[in-house]
Amino acid sequence: MNLNAATLDALAVHLETAERQARDVVKITDEHPQMDWEDAYAIQDRIRALKLARGSRLTGLKMGLTSFAKMKQMGVEAPIWGFLVDDYVRPDGGAIEMGTLIHPKVEAEIAFVTKAPLRGPGCHIGDVLAATDFVLPAVEVIDSRYRDFRFDLKSVIADNCSSARYVTGGVARPAEELDLRALGIVIEKNGEVIATGAGAAVLGHPAASVAMLANMLGERGQELPAGTFIMTGGATEAYAVERGDSVVVRYQGLGSVSMRFV
Ligand code: 0L1
Ligand code: MG
């Protein structure tokens, strides 16, 4: 690690305050170019601690940048992970308040809930499917705290991978009932189809994203406990939304998830 504890603390407060005030900031590596990967996750861990200390409840984990479309859109090259808390949850069909966000974008994701622990290294798709209780559709609303979504990978990890809101809905089903690679996804905004995708866009198979998460956590001596909710990453690019927009995402065999931006 290259940053000292006081700097990590200060950067966590800086980013979490920007999130709560819906105010954008410049990417933190501009001022701290020596920041390394461990520093980035240490800042994210501190943001998680700040939220839990304030009474938030951890609801799951997410993978980000797991599709080539997303990596290309953001000009970065590797998947990353973040945490989810109850403050981010909004109900299916409900309203998302634009006044609490900076420049939100929506992502269509397939989520897993585990029934057995997963621990890397060496975790693979087969392990994930054996440990999966059910899968369900999710829409993530990301909202980078960085001005104009301009960041590098370390800055975005520190910013909890742009996590802001998420909505689950549709139908929860056992993974073995579905062909998760071929599972089609249709994103509609204001009644028009704006994107289509398939499960295979996420690292070839959405379960590969969960395996990668278990392996990355394993490098830190951590595991994915049974009962963990995991969003596997957007199957397409992320799409910007504005006040007044209404979004519906349809998932083959899993129903749909919708929301309004007010
Ligand atoms: O969930 C995600 O894929 C977001 C990762 C962070 C990059 C971004 O803000 O697009
Ligand atoms: Mg996402």
Side-chain angles (χ1 to χ4, degrees):
M1 291 181 69
N2 291 332
L3 302 183
N4 63 34
T7 306
L8 296 170
D9 285 342
L11 288 170
V13 170
H14 171 65
L15 289 173
E16 214 250 346
T17 305
E19 177 192 337
R20 288 191 294 112
Q21 296 179 349
R23 185 174 46 77
D24 62 7
V25 294
V26 296
K27 70 179 191 307
I28 56 177
T29 47
D30 286 359
E31 248 192 72
H32 301 278
Q34 75 280 31
M35 191 174 115
D36 67 14
W37 301 106
E38 266 189 87
D39 292 322
Y41 278 110
I43 294 165
Q44 186 193 114
D45 288 345
R46 280 162 161 79
I47 292 177
R48 182 197 302 209
L50 285 171
K51 289 185 183 300
L52 298 189
R54 212 180 291 112
S56 302
R57 191 173 60 81
L58 193 68
T59 50
L61 296 173
K62 64 170 256 190
M63 285 289 278
L65 306 173
T66 48
S67 73
F68 291 120
K70 271 289 308 194
M71 287 189 223
K72 188 165 165 232
Q73 181 182 31
M74 303 321 300
V76 293
E77 284 143 29
I80 53 183
W81 87 85
F83 67 85
L84 302 170
V85 285
D86 55 351
D87 317 54
Y88 298 162
V89 179
R90 291 294 178 275
D92 188 16
I96 307 227
E97 325 76 18
M98 289 294 288
T100 62
L101 298 168
I102 304 163
H103 42 199
K105 295 183 184 179
V106 291
E107 296 187 328
E109 310 211 5
I110 296 173
F112 283 61
V113 174
T114 58
K115 61 182 175 193
L118 283 166
R119 191 182 188 105
C123 184
H124 56 73
I125 292 177
D127 298 323
V128 173
L129 293 175
T132 297
D133 196 0
F134 55 87
V135 297
L136 74 167
V139 174
E140 179 172 29
V141 180
I142 54 166
D143 192 36
S144 175
R145 269 53 70 171
Y146 298 120
R147 195 153 304 153
D148 303 322
F149 272 83
R150 270 209 292 274
F151 47 64
D152 51 28
L153 216 43
K154 289 173 191 154
S155 296
V156 79
I157 289 167
D159 184 33
N160 193 23
C161 306
S162 310
S163 304
R165 304 283 180 269
Y166 69 96
V167 179
T168 57
V171 184
R173 289 183 66 183
E176 58 270 24
E177 288 181 5
L178 299 159
D179 180 352
L180 288 168
R181 285 165 56 92
L183 191 146
I185 297 173
V186 179
I187 307 179
E188 295 172 12
K189 188 164 88 170
N190 304 327
E192 276 183 29
V193 174
I194 56 165
T196 57
V202 177
L203 294 173
H205 191 301
S209 171
V210 180
M212 185 180 272
L213 176 59
N215 289 328
M216 292 197 298
L217 290 175
E219 281 170 23
R220 306 175 106 205
Q222 296 171 11
E223 68 172 22
L224 276 174
T228 306
F229 170 81
I230 303 139
M231 292 199 305
T232 56
T236 67
E237 283 183 27
Y239 293 92
V241 284
E242 292 175 2
R243 185 174 275 119
D245 283 344
S246 143
V247 171
V248 180
V249 185
R250 302 181 197 281
Y251 300 79
Q252 188 176 9
L254 289 175
S256 61
V257 175
S258 66
M259 68 210 61
R260 292 171 292 116
F261 291 85
V262 299

